[in-house]
Amino acid sequence: MFPTNTSKHYDLTRMTQIPRSAMVYVLNKFGQNMLQKETLLEIQVLDELIKNITVVVDGRVINYSNICGIVNEKCFENPILNLMPEMDKLISRKRKVKFPVEIDPLTYKTQYWIINFGGVKYDTRGYVRNVKAMRLIYPLDESNSSKEQWLQEWRKAFLKNVKQFKFNFIELYPCPVLSTELDMKSIADDTLFLISVAIIVAALFCVVTYTTNSWVMSKPWMGIAAVFSAGLAIVSSFGLMSSCGVETISYNISLPFLILAIEIDDSFVIVANWRVTEVQDNVEERMGKTYSKSSVSITITTLTNILSFCIAMTAEFPGVRIFCYYATTCVCFTYFYQITFFGSCLALSGYREERCLNAFTFKMLKEKSEKYTTHHNHEYLTMKFFRDNVARFISHPTIKIIIIFMYFCNLAIGIWGVTFLKEGLNIFTLYPNHSKVTKGYRIYSDYFTEFSFSVHIVINKTLDYSQEKVQKSIENMMMKFHSHPNIIPSEFDISWLKYYEKFQNHPVSPFTMNGYDVSRKQDFIDGLRNVFLRIGEAKQFSNDIVFNDNYTEIICSRFFVGAKHDHLRGTERKLINEMWKIAEEFEFPVIIHSFYSSAIEQALIIKRITIQLFWLTALLIFIVFFAFIPNFLCALLVGLSITSIIVETFGYMSFWNVNLDVITMMIIIVCNGFCVNYPTHMCYVFLTSSHSTVEEKLKESLYHVGFPILQGSLSTILVSGRPDTDDTNIGIATLPLVSDMVLFHSSQTDRNRILQPNQKPE
């Protein structure tokens, strides 16, 4: 409804999405007022240096003038640079600057000093006395898609050059958002390399853990087969999704690590069940017994993973849904290749055992009779440790009491931690505290959030604005919004209707508006289009009004108010949420928006969505488990185990200063499926055990799955690392935060006030 054409008229206030502008924050090296001659002269030099940054793209030299955002047929100019000819007057305060916005009542020319000035001290009339920090913004032409490559290369060169500039009186802090975005791309490239590293590490780990001191019973090639099976699943899934036209996103970079962990985990269970079969049986019988022991538990864990991702497909976040599409197909293919490809490799390994061939050289070793001795004396050393030592240890009454006590203590700590859990992305944890990027974020937070963004108030209904009743309703609406303590005074409003009314009362109005009766709808619209919107600075309002095709109705319009004092953590979230509630009080539909809305709304609803997904998934996991293993007590214990793990995860997140955002929500979704794996394997072996006593059932359970659980846990830890350098704390999970954060849009049931049924989300 309100597209922004940066090729013709760039207007930062009216942007509906976070702009891709290049920015640099500037502080005085000695902590003094920025309005000093030496400082302003160096800022002027800095501006010239930035405008002279050039890159070569496809043989063409590109500088800022080729890609800048256009205002009045010229490149956007920072307001502070327009004051440089009056530098001496500005320093002596003969030239006064009104903060945050200066609006000429005659020409409607507007100067937004909040663009450049931060940490401002001003007098009772709003005139600037002291400036603690400055910010230079270099908007780019985002409307012209043919310039995309130019923009990317110039932004990289901008960041590189700004980091190298040195001055005597000012200190520079590159745009933190741009730094983070470019670091994300760099880490994404590094992560592609880390996938191959993870594959090699996982393969070596599997080879080692599958190898025993029996050359016949060792299965090193099954480790390679498990990793190869995971690769087949990933390639098949991505190929299928791509052929179906499902876009891929940066979240998906974590899927190879996830699927590798799932595949290896289940492969350990299958091989462990193979090892407890009778060696004198033929391969077909051993495969039958292996599958009868492992297929049910693997099927349950696969179904629970699939259900977990399928439920997450209902989330309001498009990025999460796309990730779950890929994850679901990956898990399905993983299960398919486990049963077919990995099972076939296991059968081949069985035939090798049957012929007493060396696991590495495939040469005949000793007579067949020695195989039994090797098998019984050496093959199950680690497995017998869990059966004979671990089972006996945890069966001791005192140890049971200690374990139960520790469980409740841990759960209590987790529940306590949940009460401190914070929502929303914490940008200050992306980089180390000493990093200039972190300091850049802090400069923004400390100095540029007193008047940080404008709020769009959109009336999404055809109204007759010539009627006095309608004008009074809009005036009352604006007054209602101004009653909020975090909205700046009405004198700084950007309202086409307010200034159109002032124009009608201007002394020149009888001449310019001669023949128009503004009390009549058509004359009101014609006078607006043909006279008012053609006057100099009043042209800016033309992008705030949407007419119908024949210009007989105003079908949609917008007004702007400014947010203030949102530097306190959570204030911007509280402000937008309360403005949504105010918007519901009016008789016509009102939409509240800012270019931060997507991130703010994410923080507002993330907790509710996560809790809903968690409880629904836990309930369905309980049902699936009970359907396969109809033992209510075991199903209840598995459900309790899942609930405890997730609650404790939430709790420790808060203690480690990890906020609940889209990324952590996805990790919780993954955990929902993962944390059912081990209790399922344990319960299935326990219930199918032929022993009559609980102690013996426990021993058999630990014998079958104790060591595979340890192997699976270690392999998951090995492949779940993140790239890390001295300059950044950003991990794989945070890759999409800068770009994909705005993929969010609201569902109609959650936020009808955001998107009307006939609107498309941007």
Side-chain angles (χ1 to χ4, degrees), residues 186-291:
S186 174
I187 291 173
D189 295 337
D190 293 341
T191 304
L192 293 175
F193 167 73
L194 287 177
I195 292 174
S196 60
V197 174
I199 291 172
I200 294 171
V201 170
L204 290 174
F205 177 79
C206 292
V207 168
V208 171
T209 54
Y210 281 142
T211 302
T212 69
N213 51 4
S214 168
W215 294 116
V216 174
M217 299 303 173
S218 294
K219 294 176 176 56
W221 298 105
M222 295 309 301
I224 306 297
V227 174
F228 194 78
S229 177
L232 288 174
I234 294 166
V235 172
S236 300
S237 171
F238 277 69
L240 177 62
M241 289 291 99
S242 299
S243 64
C244 293
V246 181
E247 62 177 313
T248 185
I249 59 174
S250 51
Y251 291 118
N252 293 343
I253 198 74
S254 62
L255 278 175
F257 302 92
L258 170 66
I259 298 305
L260 193 58
I262 292 175
E263 170 65 38
I264 292 173
D265 180 40
D266 286 343
S267 70
F268 284 133
V269 174
I270 294 174
V271 172
N273 282 295
W274 168 273
R275 284 174 168 172
V276 297
T277 57
E278 296 295 332
V279 292
Q280 63 267 26
D281 294 338
N282 59 39
V283 173
E284 289 79 5
E285 291 174 339
R286 296 184 73 183
M287 286 294 294
K289 292 177 181 178
T290 299
Y291 273 36

Side-chain angles (χ1 to χ4, degrees), residues 34 36-43 87 91 169-170:
M34 296 290 293
Q36 298 185 45
K37 190 165 187 176
E38 297 84 356
T39 302
L40 293 176
L41 286 173
E42 289 194 344
I43 289 175
M87 186 186 303
I91 295 170
F169 296 96
I170 61 175

Side-chain angles (χ1 to χ4, degrees), residues 19 61 73 105 147 152 270 287 291 335 337 364 388 403 477 521 526 540 576-577 645 673 760:
V61 178
E73 300 181 352
K147 296 182 180 180
Q152 290 182 10
I270 294 174
M287 286 294 294
Y291 273 36
Y335 179 74
Y337 287 119
M364 184 78 68
D388 298 336
I403 290 173
M477 177 191 72
K521 181 171 68 173
D526 290 342
Q540 63 178 298
I576 295 297
N577 195 31
I645 292 169
K760 290 183 178 180

Side-chain angles (χ1 to χ4, degrees), residues 423-646:
E423 299 88 37
L425 172 65
N426 185 359
I427 57 176
F428 300 112
T429 61
L430 296 179
Y431 290 81
N433 287 330
H434 64 270
S435 169
K436 275 205 167 187
V437 180
T438 300
K439 291 180 181 178
Y441 280 123
R442 295 201 180 279
I443 291 170
Y444 167 76
S445 177
D446 293 341
Y447 301 133
F448 291 92
T449 53
E450 183 180 5
F451 305 100
S452 62
F453 63 92
S454 60
V455 181
H456 304 228
I457 301 173
V458 180
I459 299 177
N460 192 26
K461 184 180 180 180
T462 301
L463 297 177
D464 183 359
Y465 291 88
S466 65
Q467 294 183 7
E468 186 177 347
K469 178 182 176 182
V470 173
Q471 294 174 8
K472 190 66 177 176
S473 297
I474 294 174
E475 183 181 348
N476 291 336
M477 177 191 72
M478 299 299 286
M479 289 177 60
K480 185 73 173 177
F481 284 119
H482 280 291
S483 66
H484 195 284
N486 295 112
I487 296 297
I488 63 177
S490 59
E491 62 181 292
F492 301 112
D493 286 354
I494 301 175
S495 167
W496 67 268
L497 184 59
K498 180 176 76 173
Y499 286 103
Y500 187 35
E501 290 175 347
K502 286 185 177 182
F503 175 73
Q504 294 167 21
N505 298 322
H506 197 276
V508 301
S509 179
F511 305 100
T512 57
M513 295 290 289
N514 185 30
Y516 294 104
D517 181 3
V518 291
S519 63
R520 296 175 62 246
K521 181 171 68 173
Q522 194 57 51
D523 281 1
F524 180 92
I525 293 175
D526 290 342
L528 177 65
R529 291 181 55 245
N530 300 329
V531 181
F532 179 68
L533 295 180
R534 294 187 178 184
I535 298 175
E537 294 295 327
K539 292 179 181 179
Q540 63 178 298
F541 299 117
S542 60
N543 200 31
D544 300 335
I545 309 165
V546 180
F547 300 95
N548 64 353
D549 292 337
N550 56 6
Y551 298 100
T552 58
E553 300 281 359
I554 296 176
I555 61 175
C556 189
S557 71
R558 66 177 171 177
F559 310 89
F560 300 88
V561 295
K564 68 173 182 177
H565 299 302
D566 73 309
H567 58 278
L568 298 175
R569 185 166 180 79
T571 303
E572 74 285 352
R573 211 178 306 163
K574 181 173 177 285
L575 168 63
I576 295 297
N577 195 31
E578 291 175 353
M579 290 190 72
W580 279 330
K581 293 177 180 177
I582 295 173
E584 292 175 344
E585 300 175 7
F586 306 115
E587 64 272 17
F588 40 77
V590 177
I591 297 172
I592 302 300
H593 178 74
S594 76
F595 51 60
Y596 290 124
S597 287
S598 58
I600 291 171
E601 186 164 353
Q602 176 202 122
L604 285 170
I605 69 174
I606 187 72
K607 194 170 187 177
R608 173 184 59 78
I609 294 173
T610 304
I611 292 173
Q612 286 179 354
L613 293 176
F614 161 56
W615 285 114
L616 185 56
T617 304
L619 178 62
L620 288 178
I621 287 174
F622 172 83
I623 293 172
V624 169
F625 186 92
F626 190 76
F628 279 84
I629 306 176
N631 184 294
F632 181 80
L633 181 59
C634 280
L636 184 64
L637 289 173
V638 170
L640 183 62
S641 173
I642 297 167
T643 304
S644 302
I645 292 169
I646 300 301

